[in-house]
Amino acid sequence: MRGFILLVTFAFATPAVASEPPDFNRDVRPILSARCFKCHGPDEASRKAKLRLDTPDGAKHVLGKPEKSEFLLRIFSDDDSEIMPPPSVKSPLTPQEKLVLKNWIAAGGTYAPHWAFVPVKRPAIPRTAIPARNAIDHFVLEKLQKEGWTLSKEADRTTLIRRVYLDLIGIPPTPEDVDAFVKDASPEAYEKLVDRLLATPQYGERWARRWLDLARYADTNGYEKDRPRSIWPYRDWVIRAINADMPFDRFTIEQLAGDLLSDAGPSQRIATGFHRNTMLNEEGGIDPLEFRFHAMVDRVATTGTAFLGLTLGCAQCHTHKFDPITHTDYFRFFAFLNNSDEPEIAVPSPEQARTQAKLHAKIRAAELSLAENLPAAVRQKAFAEWLATERKAAVEWVVLRPTEREAGPHTKLTALGDGSLLAHGDAMKRDVYTLTLTKLPPGTTALRIEALPHESLPANGPGRTFYEGRKGDFLLSEVKLSVNGQQAKFASATESYSKSGLGGGAATAMLAIDGNALTGWAASGREGQASNAVFVLEQPLTATSAKLELVMERHYAASLGRFRISATTAQNGAKARDLPAAIEELLLPPDNELTAEQRGELLQHWATVAPELKAARAAIEALRKQLPTPPTTLVMHERPADHPRITFRHHRGEFLQPREQITAGVPAWLPSLPKGEAANRLAFARWIASPSNPLTARVAVNRQWQAFFGRGIVRTLDDFGYQGEAPSHPELLDWLAAEFVAPSDPKDGQPWSIKRLHRLIVTSATYQQSSKVTPELLAKDPENKLLARAPRVRLEAEQIRDSALKAAGLLSTKMYGPGVFPPQPANVTTEGTYGRLEWNVSNGEDRYRRGLYTFAKRTAPYAMGSTFDAPSGEACLARREVTNNALQALTMLNDTVLLDAAQALGRRVVAHAGKTEERVAYLFRLCLGRAPRAEEATKLAAFYEAQRARFAIDPDRADAVAGIGEGIAAERAAWTATARVILNLDEFITKE
């Protein structure tokens, strides 16, 4: 009976089936995704009634014919216990949506693959009656003509040059630039202008800023301490790559896996900083592996957003509710990125490298001839006395080579040729190295542990601490030796060097045998140098094998990175000596058993400690101080093949709930990995950048389109999945993607060229339209989806600041280098923020560098940038929000940089000869590019005169506004005030 009533109700309550069936991708799937997939989609764990509506096989038994469709019965029911979606979810279907679904089932209820997941095929360019400049216009006009519309008229040349300058290089043209373009009557004038802008260095700066939003670039680590980091070489790499028009596939591969390329050099390693932009938690109480896991989660989500337009992060805790990405698929992506270490490398400039080489040669020559600074007789006598003294204290040490090495699941100890052990892997807050020592000398009385530097370690070691300010540090908490299962006791311990002040006391070797894991031996302050500690046993060992346990425990990861174990049978109480092991070994035999080379080594070492040569050594130290300190940057490095990092599926995405082991791979519904390649980061990067990947090119061209038009062809830049918005011009999107990957005319540019894509967009008639909107267009297409006019979009934060400085003649053209500190209130980074940072305002031209170079502190971003919606760098951002609030107006009036710009504009106008009206026009053109209309000029001139009269009777105020200390400042102050008015016009911060 229920079915009969529903059928009757359904039959009479809905209109007849439409003559043209709905398109599944355009009309049907968005409804199913928005209303049904959450409970009847890919995620098996949350699926209701075992019904799956995202696949035809899962839905076929409920769709049926309209008159017998359980699906339609439910959606047209008026019974709250039967209707779908249920009232409890508060997302009812609209009558129009119900009609679409009914018409779909009446037409057969067929499914189609999601438009974004099918291969890109180049569509034919439509033929249109209206002339077009390039293929883009044909696709746009085809849609407009169906609505009975056409493109708007072309923007005037003044508006057009300002628009294309702001879009391509991020700063406005000068009045001279505008005049030259307006006067150029040649048909190629605009194309020549575009080519000139594409070739300027400023092009790379403008487009690097947009990429850095995706890369979540910042100059600090984030989280509670938010200390500074050095990663600006990555930012400079992005600028250079964009200016060089590096093909986007190569651009992608180098950032994801540049270190794995066969031709990898410093540039490719720097590029991998893309995924080192993740935040780093340096709090003492954290588990380093947990926050490494969180960093990996960020990298997976960022990869999905930046390259694939997928919300991969939604599958971290469970199978995606909407897209066909399983929970296991997520961790297969995770596995690609999980097998890398994260070193910091020095990146000297060519000039620094040359200077270093010259100075190192001088230093080496001076060291080799150091002893010659003394007369031969004096030298021989002093050297002999030193030898005699040192030989009395010399002890014979035997290097022990452990037969077994255990360092826990996260660290691997590799034996080096000199008997030392090098740790690599993930350092923990508590690391225990257990070494099986055999061939101990009979009667061993003491053990020596040498902490040695190595280039692979932070700050060259000898510790593995990577935290800022502690790099290369270690703390050896406890040294335990067991023989035949019995603990051997140490009587004493000495060290060649120890840190003072650890926990209120010294960090001596004795603290490594006190039974307290919170104390120990540290050599902080000698990072990059060797130190050693000697542990003397209460009783000589009778056994020749033992187990040595080194416990390293600290509130932050601080284990030994490279070390060497030696034993001695000396009976006279061995002590640690600040002497290289190789030198002590040479002190043991008498002179007549030494070779000339060995004696020379001893002499050379003596020269480094001899009091008689202190002055000569000071000269060498002076040379060392001249060595340039190259910048460093954070990079990725694949782990050794014999120690891969294992990836697990984490239940509910929880770090503490690892389940089965996972291998790297991609979803079955996407193209497979390149054949014959190992499933590593490089294969993953090549898979992403492959022409066969249906997402990468579409996502890339859509993001570029949005930068020019304020709205992507797909509005949801970061979501090309089922929940994303369908493209407004699907054929145009696919044509652009196909043309981007493989130009139709190979002579017309290289594949994957961003510059070529930009040129194609800005030379289209669609781009060159006027932005003027008619009431009819506004009513029918308020979002300008059909592109019947050019957009009117507020400038990005950096563009606003840079535009003001450019107009004022202050903007620096200096490129690259560390972040700078333009003026802002000091308390932005010192009060109420994590990781207090003194914002010391930069001097000279650094005060007026482009916004791209402003130091980016995650917990306290640059104030003006935040006001105008710039990101904090804490997460990948595909599209900046555009807000409109009173604080923005206050910033434009009162921000120090804007005041500087207004004062500089005042100076420029005062220096410009002419009447008030002429000066008003000059000021107006400096700021807006165009000449003022008569009414605007009159009002501004009147405003200027009023301000001048006001300041004439208040000279102190005039001095303050004009930015000068004394003198007749009324005129300059009045022009400064007038400039502030123009800088606050909506037109100044808007791209017309």
Side-chain angles (χ1 to χ4, degrees), residues 234-302:
Y234 166 75
R235 177 247 289 148
D236 290 355
W237 178 90
V238 174
I239 299 170
R240 290 187 172 98
I242 292 174
N243 272 331
D245 198 21
M246 178 183 286
F248 187 75
D249 58 343
R250 179 78 181 191
F251 184 73
T252 298
I253 291 168
E254 290 201 8
Q255 291 185 86
L256 292 177
D259 58 304
L260 292 173
L261 292 169
S262 59
D263 60 346
S267 177
Q268 287 69 39
R269 297 193 71 192
I270 292 169
T272 63
F274 174 79
H275 269 325
R276 290 303 311 279
N277 280 305
T278 46
M279 296 197 294
L280 174 66
N281 195 334
E282 297 182 281
E283 294 178 60
I286 61 111
D287 180 344
L289 289 188
E290 179 182 4
F291 277 87
R292 189 187 180 283
F293 175 84
H294 294 322
M296 294 305 308
V297 166
D298 168 73
R299 288 171 188 169
V300 173
T302 296

Side-chain angles (χ1 to χ4, degrees), residues 328-619:
T328 299
D329 283 337
Y330 175 88
F331 283 100
R332 297 180 78 197
F333 277 114
F334 191 104
F336 281 117
L337 302 172
N338 195 32
N339 193 40
S340 58
D341 289 328
E342 302 176 352
E344 180 178 29
I345 63 169
V347 283
S349 66
E351 182 180 354
Q352 286 178 322
R354 289 191 294 269
T355 302
Q356 283 180 327
K358 290 178 181 178
L359 286 172
H360 279 307
K362 287 183 179 180
I363 291 168
R364 182 61 178 159
E367 288 176 336
L368 289 173
S369 61
L370 184 58
E372 296 173 8
N373 285 279
L374 291 175
V378 175
R379 180 174 69 242
Q380 291 171 3
K381 181 176 183 297
F383 179 50
E385 290 174 352
W386 176 82
L387 274 178
T389 302
E390 292 297 323
R391 278 179 171 150
K392 290 179 183 178
V395 170
E396 182 177 4
W397 292 97
V398 177
V399 174
L400 304 178
R401 298 176 184 266
T403 54
E404 295 181 19
R405 307 181 292 271
E406 293 293 334
H410 307 294
T411 296
K412 182 180 177 64
L413 297 175
T414 300
L416 303 183
D418 63 353
S420 65
L421 300 176
L422 179 64
H424 53 84
D426 300 316
M428 303 289 292
K429 289 191 299 181
R430 186 178 192 274
D431 275 312
V432 179
Y433 299 164
T434 303
L435 311 173
T436 300
L437 306 175
T438 57
K439 299 183 180 180
L440 279 166
T444 294
T445 57
L447 296 179
R448 181 178 67 186
I449 301 176
E450 296 173 80
L452 303 170
H454 194 271
E455 61 183 6
S456 70
L457 300 171
N460 291 328
R464 294 204 286 164
T465 302
F466 57 86
Y467 296 115
E468 197 64 43
R470 296 167 175 164
K471 292 176 182 176
D473 192 11
F474 72 89
L475 178 69
L476 181 57
S477 306
E478 287 296 308
V479 177
K480 301 176 183 179
L481 186 70
S482 61
V483 181
N484 298 325
Q486 298 295 315
Q487 197 77 19
K489 294 184 178 180
F490 292 105
S492 63
T494 55
E495 71 286 327
S496 63
Y497 174 85
S498 67
K499 173 181 171 61
S500 61
L502 179 68
T508 63
M510 282 295 293
L511 297 177
I513 56 173
D514 65 352
N516 182 356
L518 299 180
T519 62
W521 172 49
S524 309
R526 290 192 77 178
E527 288 77 16
Q529 301 179 54
S531 301
N532 67 84
V534 171
F535 300 89
V536 178
L537 291 154
E538 282 190 355
Q539 298 293 329
L541 297 181
T542 57
T544 57
S545 65
K547 280 192 180 294
L548 179 66
E549 193 176 86
L550 306 181
V551 180
M552 290 148 290
E553 188 167 352
R554 202 167 194 168
H555 62 282
Y556 57 88
S559 55
L560 278 166
R562 182 184 171 213
F563 61 98
R564 182 166 52 198
I565 310 295
S566 303
T568 186
T569 58
Q571 299 296 312
N572 57 348
K575 292 185 178 180
R577 308 178 66 197
D578 198 4
L579 193 70
I583 297 299
E584 185 164 18
E585 186 176 351
L586 292 177
L587 291 170
L588 297 172
D591 274 355
N592 59 1
E593 294 182 13
L594 293 175
T595 65
E597 183 181 358
Q598 290 172 330
R599 188 174 176 82
E601 289 180 39
L602 285 170
L603 179 65
Q604 194 173 334
H605 176 76
W606 164 77
T608 65
V609 296
E612 298 88 345
L613 291 169
K614 182 177 180 181
R617 290 197 300 273

Side-chain angles (χ1 to χ4, degrees), residues 731-791:
E731 293 81 10
L732 172 59
L733 178 65
D734 277 10
W735 185 88
L736 286 170
E739 187 70 10
F740 181 49
V741 173
S744 51
D745 182 357
K747 297 179 182 179
D748 194 27
Q750 66 180 358
W752 297 95
S753 169
I754 291 289
K755 280 191 177 183
R756 181 178 178 276
L757 176 64
H758 287 174
R759 190 183 194 282
L760 187 66
I761 291 173
V762 301
T763 55
S764 68
T766 304
Y767 175 81
Q768 296 175 56
Q769 296 177 94
S770 168
S771 63
K772 185 176 181 179
V773 57
T774 65
E776 180 188 13
L777 284 178
L778 188 62
K780 291 188 176 181
D781 189 13
E783 295 183 42
N784 196 28
K785 290 182 181 181
L786 298 181
L787 298 166
R789 63 185 186 276

Side-chain angles (χ1 to χ4, degrees), residues 164-184:
V164 78
Y165 258 75
L166 289 168
D167 273 339
L168 289 182
I169 65 173
I171 51 179
T174 64
E176 293 76 19
D177 294 328
V178 175
D179 289 343
F181 176 62
V182 170
K183 291 175 183 177
D184 188 345

Side-chain angles (χ1 to χ4, degrees), residues 2 67 131 310 314 353 369 544 655 665 672 739 753 773 794 891 908 954 968:
R2 177 185 66 86
E67 64 275 8
L310 293 177
C314 294
S369 61
T544 57
F655 167 69
S672 58
E739 187 70 10
S753 169
V773 57
R794 201 205 68 202
T891 297
R908 293 190 74 175
D954 190 353
I968 302 174

